[in-house]
Amino acid sequence: MPRQFFVGGNFKMNGVADSIKSIVKNLNDAKRDPTTEVVVSPPSLYLTLVRELADPSVGVSAQNVYDKPNGAFTGELSVEQLKDAKIGWTLVGHSERRVLLREDDDFVARKTKAAIDGGLSVIVCIGESLEEREANKTIEVVTRQLDAVAKLLSEDQWAKVVIAYEPIWAIGTGKVATTAQAQEVHASIRQWLQKISPSVADNTRVIYGGSVSEKNCRELAKENDVDGFLVGGASLKPAFVDIINARI
């Protein structure tokens, strides 16, 4: 079966109750491609609000999760708490957390493992800096980030993973990887997945993030190994629906 197209919306630290209600209402009312899986990731304060208001066809994701089940970890969210709130997904490894909060590959991998063990699906974010891109280290960087995850997951657990390739130099900058650049990296990730198994390589969705908009999504969506998008700023706008419908 072909991989189901996937579009995630990462609200980051944006929005208050009224604006987030408006975003959800727009999603609920819109004519969305029924073959596209949609998952939105609001700030943690509004996770339960979004889950209550969003159509059941819209998944809801945390923006982060901790790797321990409970304890004295001020400000963190546990897998059990997310499950209790009927949240089915979490992001891990977003470059803003890797860069600003110094989260390393092993920590991201432990969070991925904890989330999947606890019953969540995970969007694992990977990507290179501009300096790494210019030094031709893109594939080295993204495979290193994925190697850390692969050490901890069993083959069957990859069914709960969506890989989001987000070049750091393209996030929130207005710069976008060309369709050829995106396809090249996605194809390399697909080849890397072969070492786990051909089935994992065929079935794991690899999505692109980095200044995705309604203007560039259709060309990117034509690439064989681009299975969807992780959308930042544009997910806060009505145009998010256009991105969801990129393959119509």
Side-chain angles (χ1 to χ4, degrees):
M1 291 180 63
R3 294 179 295 273
Q4 184 180 14
F5 203 66
F6 182 103
V7 175
N10 179 13
F11 297 179
K12 305 190 181 183
M13 197 178 72
N14 293 300
V16 293
D18 283 347
S19 61
I20 288 173
K21 287 177 183 177
S22 177
I23 293 168
V24 173
K25 184 178 187 304
N26 184 62
L27 275 178
N28 288 345
D29 294 346
K31 185 176 180 180
R32 290 181 280 114
D33 182 350
T35 68
T36 295
E37 183 171 10
V38 179
V39 176
V40 294
S41 186
S44 58
L45 185 63
Y46 302 113
L47 282 166
T48 54
L49 173 68
V50 172
R51 184 61 285 163
E52 289 167 4
L53 296 179
D55 187 272
S57 65
V58 176
V60 181
S61 173
Q63 295 180 12
N64 183 47
V65 71
Y66 204 56
D67 66 328
K68 302 294 190 297
N70 51 61
F73 305 107
T74 301
E76 296 294 338
L77 289 173
S78 73
V79 175
E80 182 182 20
Q81 289 164 343
L82 293 175
K83 289 288 289 183
D84 185 53
K86 298 180 172 55
I87 305 303
W89 289 81
T90 186
L91 295 172
V92 299
H94 193 281
S95 65
E96 289 157 2
R97 297 193 66 88
R98 291 182 189 263
V99 174
L100 299 176
L101 300 177
R102 309 296 186 193
E103 295 190 358
D104 63 20
D105 297 341
D106 291 337
F107 186 34
V108 172
R110 292 197 305 273
K111 291 198 290 188
T112 302
K113 171 71 169 170
I116 293 174
D117 283 351
L120 298 179
S121 295
V122 181
I123 302 168
V124 179
C125 302
I126 59 173
E128 83 284 10
S129 67
L130 181 59
E131 292 76 16
E132 289 164 337
R133 159 68 67 168
E134 291 177 341
N136 295 316
K137 292 183 176 180
T138 296
I139 305 305
E140 175 187 335
V141 170
V142 298
T143 55
R144 184 200 75 218
Q145 292 167 338
L146 288 169
D147 279 338
V149 176
K151 290 176 184 176
L152 301 185
L153 297 189
S154 61
E155 180 180 334
D156 65 304
Q157 287 182 314
W158 283 91
K160 304 284 282 185
V161 173
V162 170
I163 297 171
Y165 167 59
E166 295 195 303
I168 298 171
W169 48 271
I171 298 175
T173 63
K175 297 179 181 179
V176 184
T178 66
T179 54
Q181 286 174 325
Q183 170 59 23
E184 178 186 17
V185 178
H186 283 229
S188 295
I189 292 168
R190 186 93 50 214
Q191 184 177 9
W192 176 89
L193 288 165
Q194 285 280 351
K195 72 180 186 180
I196 299 169
S197 79
S199 175
V200 169
D202 287 342
N203 295 313
T204 301
R205 290 172 290 182
V206 183
I207 63 176
Y208 174 78
S211 298
V212 176
S213 72
E214 73 280 10
K215 296 177 182 178
N216 57 40
C217 63
R218 294 186 185 279
E219 285 303 310
L220 286 162
K222 292 176 182 177
E223 297 296 332
N224 289 337
D225 291 296
V226 176
D227 301 317
F229 305 110
L230 183 57
V231 185
S235 69
L236 305 170
K237 304 172 184 177
F240 185 46
V241 174
D242 296 326
I243 300 171
I244 292 169
N245 294 333
R247 284 194 166 177
I248 292 179

